[in-house]
Amino acid sequence: MAIGMKTMNMRYHIAVGILLCLLGAVTSGHAAIYKYVDASGRIHFSNVPVKSHYSFYAHEAGDGEALSRSVTDLIKRYAVLNRLDVNLVRAVVRAESNYDINALSSKGAMGLMQLHPETAKDLKLSDPFDPLQNISGGTRYLRQMLDRFKGNLDLALAAYNAGPSTVERYGGIPPYQETQNYVEKVKQFQKLYRRSDT
């Protein structure tokens, strides 16, 4: 009995030590902490969510700069994976949410890339406010729009904003002021980001 308690106590201290090391790494590099629960009920934490079943868990309070670096890393990773210009993805995130991971529009669009509930469902996202899932899903959706409209950026952005069927119905950018402004805004942000990279 004493040996069993000693082993459990040692395991607890090891687990706490590992978590503290992880939190230290998070503070120094990435503010976001991700977790998942495996089939046997064990909880796993990581500051680098290398597998899609990790979901956003927490971030260091008051550490906006580190959180921003983490989001920037996710944008770069998923832009490359989905064959997108990184500056375009940055521009969409800025136009959609201004980098607010908890953004929620009056129409129910969620997170950094403002995914509508139906879009999030189609993309099979369990938590659209999780930065990893949101950027992964949002960049996949943006790639789908670019493919659907044969690489035409204006039409792809209009479709991202107003829906692809609306763009197809009008045979171009719909005559909605919001959508027309959105397309121009994203393109302007993209130019600004490109200039800042040079």
Side-chain angles (χ1 to χ4, degrees), residues 168-189:
E168 287 164 347
R169 188 167 71 247
Y170 283 101
I173 299 175
Y176 306 151
Q177 196 64 52
E178 179 195 329
T179 302
Q180 292 169 354
N181 291 345
Y182 175 81
V183 170
E184 288 310 309
K185 187 196 298 186
V186 171
K187 286 162 62 180
Q188 285 302 316
F189 285 150

Side-chain angles (χ1 to χ4, degrees), residues 50-101:
V50 291
K51 297 182 181 175
S52 61
H53 50 260
Y54 276 92
S55 62
F56 179 74
Y57 176 67
H59 63 81
E60 290 293 301
D63 196 355
E65 185 188 341
L67 177 62
S68 151
R69 278 201 306 270
S70 178
V71 166
T72 301
D73 291 344
L74 290 170
I75 287 171
K76 286 177 183 171
R77 180 186 313 166
Y78 288 105
V80 170
L81 274 174
N82 291 289
R83 305 179 331 277
L84 297 167
D85 173 20
V86 172
N87 291 316
L88 172 62
V89 179
R90 290 168 73 192
V92 169
V93 171
R94 183 168 171 189
E96 290 288 353
S97 68
N98 201 25
Y99 287 81
D100 179 0
I101 63 172

